[in-house]
Amino acid sequence: MFKIEVRDVHFWYGNSEVLHRIDLSMAPKTVTALIGPSGCGKSTLLRVLNRMNELIPGSRLSGEVFIDGRSIYTPDVDVYELRKRVGMVFQKPNPFPKSIYENVAFGLRIKGINHRSFIDEKVERTLRQVFLWEEVKDKLHKPALALSGGQQQRLCIARALAVEPSILLMDEPASSLDPISTAKLEELIYELKQTYTIVLVTHNMQQASRTSDRTAFLYKGNLIEYADTATFFTNPSSQSTQDYITGRFRTEG
Amino acid sequence: MNRVFLRLFKAIDAAGDWYDRQRGDGFALYGLVFTLFVVAIVLGLFTYVSIAGFPRLGTRFFTGFASRIPEQAGILPAFLGTLWVMALVFLISFPLGVAAGIHLERYVSQRRLARLLEVNITNLAGIPSIVYGLLGLQFFVRGLALGESILAASLTLSMMVLPLVIVATREALRMVPGSVTEAAYALGATKWQTIWYHALPLAFPGIISGVLLAVTRAIGEAAPLLVIGAVAFVPFVPASVFDYFTVLPVQIFFWATKPQSSFLINASAAILVLLALTLLLNLLAVRIRERWHKRIES
Amino acid sequence: MRRPAEKLIEGLLGLSSLFTLLLTFTVIGVLMYNAWGFFEVIGLGEFLTGTRWTPFFENPAFGMWPLLTGTLLTALIAMFTALPLGLLISIYLSEYANATWRNVARPALDLLSAIPTVVYGFLALVFVTPALQYFFPALERFNALSPGLVMGFMILPIITSISEDAMRAVPANLREAAFAMGASRWQVAWRVVLPSAFNGVTAAVILAFSRALGETMIVSIAAGQQPQLTFNPSVAIQTASSYIIQISLGDVDRSGLEYKTIFAVGLGLFLLTFALNNLSYWLRARFKQQQR
């Protein structure tokens, strides 16, 4: 059974259609990369999966998205509970202007959990999960903004994991990081795959080929190609995919 | 105490969250209710004042002088006093405030001096109006021997609103696109020519709107004028800036504090006149600013 | 020909800038000069520690505490009114309201601060006090409660406008992060936006408090003229500002001690608000730096 199923999804901002008839499914504990030129709708598609798209007034969706076999766009779905099951990491690291500890604890606190030792334990466990514990264990109560960019991004991942999601959405998580931090992040993605289903938006094709199991190429709101990453990069079936991955791609107009 | 606050904080948090989860963003409704609550209270009070004061608004009220008999008392000297003050505050605070604003915005290059002047102006803006009254009493009324005159009152109020004019001038100048200044410099204009011929004309509506707001503030003030010696009875039409004076807010104060309740009707009526005047000036200032924003942003 | 004229203009502009500094010094000078005359006779000790303010008695006492408690009492009542209301309204306007509503509500709230304070005072005396007396018959005709409540509405726009600006300046990506973790809109506002805008909001609150301390007409009209060392909101009190008005309205010998008292009281008021305003300014400057 698939973890995520997107069926016939169309999406509009005002009158402009930014996603057109998207169909794709993702198996549990895999990494799916979404690639494509900027403005192709890959970030929008990501936000459709945890209904973050709804925060923008004037947006509209048709079609269905299933997570664990249940539709997430029916009226009885609690959107806040949904987002707790689907974690998200953003382009720019965005830790709260609080301590490292409070950043990770935030997700527990909004759940109404205030049990001190439980939170302590959870903070340590998630920080270990993202390989940050050794670096920050002595300064847990120092401001998170004092960390380096790469550390901040891993902290943001820890923060998302603390809520215990089963899916992790990543929106170009390495775009503001240096090469060493990026390498560490990719290693982390590989580790996280053992537990989580990951959807990764990236504009870096090497990254997509290194980290993902399957790759989807979007162009102007259309899903052009969706295949095993190995097949996708060695033997793409569509001409525009071929052009895009070889860098010969031209945007019309 | 601290624990109580902590509890309170948690309770508010939990309540707000609960409303939001019950119905999508349920607190939105409550926020709207709170905002409307404030607006409704204010509207209600105005209705009350209007109903109380309206019957008094007749010719006699506008052409009469102060009187022991409420039905015969009028606001002529107070109204004219307010007009005098309005004109003088405009004439005094406008050149002074605009000059200081231009200097601060375009001429002060030393960071420390700029900071000192800026902090100073923020402080001037924060001084309670009654303290300006004390300044006026000692400095203008006694020191410069202007007496309890319209001029002393206008000078006092001008000092009080000066920071408003300066801040408005600076903000208006900042809205002028840098390209305009650069173009003027490129044509060989001097600094002052650039400001006078290019920046000021573009910033002018913004400045005027700020000065109007400052004047509005000035004509609503009673406290500093009571300190410098505004009087309750002015039995003549003020004809020069050295005359004794009263203004609408002062007249309202004296009527409101009289024991006979029929003077409250006079106070309500005078409040209607004062509110009409301030709201009119306010709307004018806002309209000018809005039109200017549209023009300068296009 | 052009150069000297330019220099002259620049000089004049500089003089008007200098004038603002002179103005501050003059205010301080005027207050100090007259207050000095007062302290020479009374002594700073009695003023600072005395608990009775009875300038018109045969044996006058000049302890500032009754005026201070009166001033604090009305200002605190105003804050208790304005703070919760202002905070909720700014959260609503910055996090919930759509643009249309915001554009209606903001100018409407700002109008509250355009209303002359004498009007507020009148409303407190002839409307709010009788209305409150209906519920609390023990309330005196002049009291601290009614002008305090009304003052709360007067300072409401200060709190809403500055703290709404501060909240809207909080970067959108922090909100996104919290939403993505399943926080409700309220939790985002209360646990992420409000703490991030804390300095800005605090600055607004301090500024509003300072404004309430110096407010004159509302308390002069509706709070009474009895300097009492009390925190009972239902009895007549006197604030520092309304004492100054009371003396100004009487026939005061301008070389006498009473005339000088108002400057001593004014100096105290000035120092109090001066400290608060600078604290507020400093907090706002820090907030702006943090947002960068």
Side-chain angles (χ1 to χ4, degrees):
Chain A
M1 189 168 112
F2 290 113
K3 183 76 183 172
I4 306 170
E5 275 183 84
V6 178
R7 266 193 222 154
D8 192 25
V9 160
H10 296 245
F11 189 76
W12 294 266
Y13 287 133
N15 286 325
S16 69
E17 191 182 31
V18 284
L19 289 178
H20 179 74
R21 230 179 70 197
I22 304 289
D23 278 287
L24 83 175
S25 324
M26 296 146 194
K29 300 184 183 176
T30 57
V31 177
T32 305
L34 305 178
I35 65 169
S38 41
C40 70
K42 55 190 192 297
S43 283
T44 306
L45 177 56
L46 197 70
R47 278 153 194 261
V48 161
L49 302 181
N50 65 348
R51 290 177 62 175
M52 285 287 280
N53 52 359
E54 289 178 352
L55 294 176
I56 297 154
S59 62
R60 195 157 53 86
L61 176 131
S62 79
E64 289 205 87
V65 177
F66 297 90
I67 286 180
D68 294 326
R70 291 223 310 271
S71 170
I72 63 166
Y73 278 92
T74 48
D76 61 313
V77 170
D78 182 342
V79 63
Y80 303 126
E81 290 309 314
L82 165 73
R83 290 186 189 140
K84 281 174 186 157
R85 289 189 287 128
V86 186
M88 188 166 189
V89 178
F90 297 83
Q91 220 169 38
K92 256 181 70 187
N94 53 359
F96 299 125
K98 302 173 180 224
S99 67
I100 296 169
Y101 181 93
E102 280 304 325
N103 261 281
V104 185
F106 182 87
L108 302 171
R109 296 210 189 277
I110 60 172
K111 275 181 167 176
I113 297 168
N114 280 310
H115 198 277
R116 181 68 197 269
S117 60
F118 180 82
I119 296 180
D120 281 350
E121 191 202 333
K122 189 80 190 169
V123 168
E124 180 174 344
R125 193 138 44 87
T126 36
L127 284 174
R128 278 189 195 284
Q129 240 180 318
V130 299
F131 311 120
L132 200 58
W133 176 251
E134 292 301 324
E135 293 162 55
V136 302
K137 66 179 176 196
D138 298 324
K139 45 180 180 182
L140 282 177
H141 296 283
K142 294 271 158 57
L145 290 167
L147 297 174
S148 75
Q151 288 174 323
Q152 285 188 13
Q153 194 60 301
R154 277 183 282 153
L155 176 67
C156 290
I157 297 174
R159 185 176 64 181
L161 296 182
V163 198
E164 296 182 342
S166 55
I167 296 172
L168 205 52
L169 309 176
M170 298 180 147
D171 192 356
E172 300 191 26
S175 64
S176 66
L177 303 183
D178 60 79
I180 295 171
S181 304
T182 304
K184 278 190 184 166
L185 185 78
E186 286 176 9
E187 232 172 89
L188 175 60
I189 292 175
Y190 186 80
E191 286 295 325
L192 292 174
K193 193 173 81 171
Q194 318 304 322
T195 327
Y196 304 94
T197 308
I198 296 173
V199 185
L200 172 76
V201 165
T202 178
H203 58 246
N204 179 332
M205 276 169 282
Q206 281 75 36
Q207 188 169 65
S209 66
R210 279 194 301 262
T211 53
S212 71
D213 302 300
R214 284 174 76 81
T215 301
F217 173 55
L218 276 89
Y219 178 58
K220 285 195 168 172
N222 290 289
L223 180 64
I224 305 294
E225 181 150 4
Y226 181 43
D228 273 351
T229 298
T231 325
F232 184 95
F233 282 101
T234 51
N235 190 17
S237 58
S238 130
Q239 184 58 41
S240 53
T241 311
Q242 173 83 34
D243 289 346
Y244 185 70
I245 60 181
T246 51
R248 273 175 303 177
F249 194 75
R250 297 251 186 287
T251 35
E252 301 148 37
Chain B
M1 194 67 178
N2 233 328
R3 285 251 299 274
V4 173
F5 270 119
L6 221 68
R7 282 263 169 79
L8 188 69
F9 254 64
K10 285 213 173 118
I12 296 172
D13 182 27
D17 185 43
W18 187 76
Y19 284 131
D20 263 12
R21 284 173 200 271
Q22 285 300 301
R23 296 180 41 228
D25 297 345
F27 176 78
L29 188 69
Y30 289 82
L32 188 64
V33 168
F34 281 124
T35 315
L36 289 179
F37 167 72
V38 172
V39 175
I41 283 189
V42 173
L43 282 181
L45 293 176
F46 283 127
T47 320
Y48 174 82
V49 174
S50 306
I51 292 171
F54 196 74
R56 195 64 103 227
L57 290 176
T59 349
R60 182 178 273 166
F61 188 69
F62 284 101
T63 56
F65 294 86
S67 164
R68 239 180 287 271
I69 306 151
E71 289 77 14
Q72 289 178 7
I75 54 165
L76 184 63
F79 189 72
L80 292 174
T82 290
L83 291 185
W84 268 108
V85 166
M86 213 165 108
L88 285 174
V89 167
F90 185 87
L91 288 177
I92 299 165
S93 67
F94 179 65
L96 203 56
V98 172
I102 294 174
H103 184 254
L104 259 169
E105 192 59 30
R106 294 294 172 99
Y107 282 92
V108 183
S109 47
Q110 248 187 302
R111 273 188 73 121
R112 284 175 66 180
L113 181 64
R115 206 177 143 69
L116 172 71
L117 288 168
E118 198 179 309
V119 172
N120 181 52
I121 285 164
T122 315
N123 271 320
L124 283 175
I127 297 177
S129 63
I130 191 153
V131 173
Y132 279 103
L134 293 172
L135 168 83
L137 174 61
Q138 179 69 26
F139 195 77
F140 296 125
V141 175
R142 305 191 69 195
L144 297 182
L146 296 174
E148 290 95 348
S149 63
I150 298 174
L151 185 59
S154 305
L155 282 168
T156 305
L157 291 176
S158 299
M159 298 305 108
M160 185 186 88
V161 299
L162 192 60
L164 299 181
V165 180
I166 296 175
V167 170
T169 304
R170 297 188 64 181
E171 274 173 8
L173 281 174
R174 236 174 276 163
M175 292 281 290
V176 174
S179 56
V180 172
T181 319
E182 277 171 21
Y185 276 133
L187 291 170
T190 63
K191 189 167 197 168
W192 173 248
Q193 285 173 326
T194 309
I195 293 169
W196 183 253
Y197 291 108
H198 301 282
L200 271 185
L202 275 175
F204 195 70
I207 297 175
I208 282 293
S209 146
V211 178
L212 282 180
L213 285 179
V215 171
T216 314
R217 171 90 194 281
I219 62 167
E221 273 293 345
L225 302 186
L226 289 172
V227 175
I228 67 168
V231 287
F233 279 90
V234 177
F236 55 86
V237 171
S240 108
V241 294
F242 296 106
D243 279 342
Y244 279 66
F245 73 98
T246 188
V247 291
L248 281 171
V250 169
Q251 187 67 67
I252 293 167
F253 171 75
F254 284 124
W255 276 337
T257 48
K258 274 205 195 304
Q260 302 98 304
S261 63
S262 42
F263 272 113
L264 293 180
I265 302 173
N266 290 42
S268 305
I271 284 175
L272 286 180
V273 176
L274 180 63
L275 279 181
L277 203 59
T278 46
L279 290 189
L280 213 65
L281 279 172
N282 224 296
L283 279 179
L284 186 64
V286 172
R287 277 300 290 276
I288 291 177
R289 174 163 302 182
E290 272 173 1
R291 286 184 52 180
W292 172 66
H293 267 253
K294 266 188 202 136
R295 214 182 62 193
I296 207 161
E297 273 158 10
S298 63
Chain C
M1 185 53 204
R2 186 180 282 165
R3 305 285 309 180
E6 286 251 334
K7 279 276 169 240
L8 181 68
I9 289 168
E10 194 176 334
L12 285 175
L13 295 176
L15 275 182
S16 20
S17 237
L18 193 66
F19 180 83
T20 60
L21 283 178
L22 276 177
L23 185 56
T24 308
F25 286 123
T26 314
V27 169
I28 296 173
V30 160
L31 293 175
M32 296 274 255
Y33 170 75
N34 283 296
W36 183 256
F38 168 78
F39 289 127
E40 264 183 345
V41 181
I42 299 305
L44 198 58
E46 178 181 345
F47 184 70
L48 289 182
T49 59
T51 55
R52 276 162 21 108
W53 183 265
T54 53
F56 310 116
F57 282 20
E58 196 99 19
N59 246 335
F62 293 97
M64 66 167 196
W65 281 94
L67 293 185
L68 186 62
T69 54
T71 307
L72 286 176
L73 179 59
T74 46
L76 284 174
I77 293 171
M79 290 312 287
F80 272 109
T81 316
L83 185 58
L85 212 51
L87 220 48
L88 289 177
I89 290 177
S90 6
I91 288 178
Y92 168 70
L93 289 180
S94 122
E95 304 299 312
Y96 287 85
N98 60 27
T100 323
W101 261 115
R102 190 161 43 232
N103 290 339
V104 175
R106 266 200 87 143
L109 284 169
D110 286 342
L111 267 187
L112 286 181
S113 62
I115 297 170
T117 55
V118 68
V119 177
Y120 281 113
F122 174 82
L123 292 172
L125 180 69
V126 307
F127 189 81
V128 179
T129 299
L132 288 173
Q133 275 169 334
Y134 182 80
F135 297 103
F136 313 105
L139 196 70
E140 291 179 12
R141 177 168 152 76
F142 294 107
N143 60 74
L145 182 61
S146 155
L149 286 176
V150 172
M151 222 196 289
F153 279 88
M154 184 202 84
I155 59 176
L156 190 63
I158 302 176
I159 295 185
T160 53
S161 72
I162 302 181
S163 39
E164 193 211 324
D165 284 345
M167 289 190 211
R168 280 156 66 82
V170 172
N173 64 14
L174 294 184
R175 291 190 184 86
E176 278 198 324
F179 273 125
M181 290 163 73
S184 62
R185 199 171 274 275
W186 173 264
Q187 285 177 324
V188 172
W190 190 254
R191 288 170 178 262
V192 177
V193 177
L194 201 57
S196 305
F198 187 76
N199 277 347
V201 174
T202 314
V205 171
I206 292 172
L207 198 65
F209 187 59
S210 160
R211 189 65 60 82
L213 289 176
E215 170 46 37
T216 308
M217 294 320 291
I218 303 177
V219 283
S220 293
I221 294 175
Q225 299 183 333
Q226 264 98 59
Q228 294 196 57
L229 188 61
T230 176
F231 273 108
N232 178 356
S234 67
V235 299
I237 47 101
Q238 186 160 48
T239 68
S241 54
S242 65
Y243 172 74
I244 298 175
I245 291 292
Q246 186 191 7
I247 295 297
S248 305
L249 290 177
D251 271 325
V252 179
D253 169 15
R254 286 191 175 169
S255 52
L257 190 63
E258 269 174 21
Y259 177 74
K260 293 189 173 111
T261 56
I262 59 176
F263 287 90
V265 171
L267 181 63
L269 195 58
F270 172 80
L271 291 176
L272 202 59
T273 51
F274 183 82
L276 288 174
N277 291 334
N278 280 290
L279 183 62
S280 167
Y281 180 80
W282 181 75
L283 279 172
R284 257 178 300 168
R286 262 187 44 154
F287 177 67
K288 274 185 202 148
Q289 228 164 23
Q290 282 171 357
Q291 293 307 321
R292 239 174 251 146

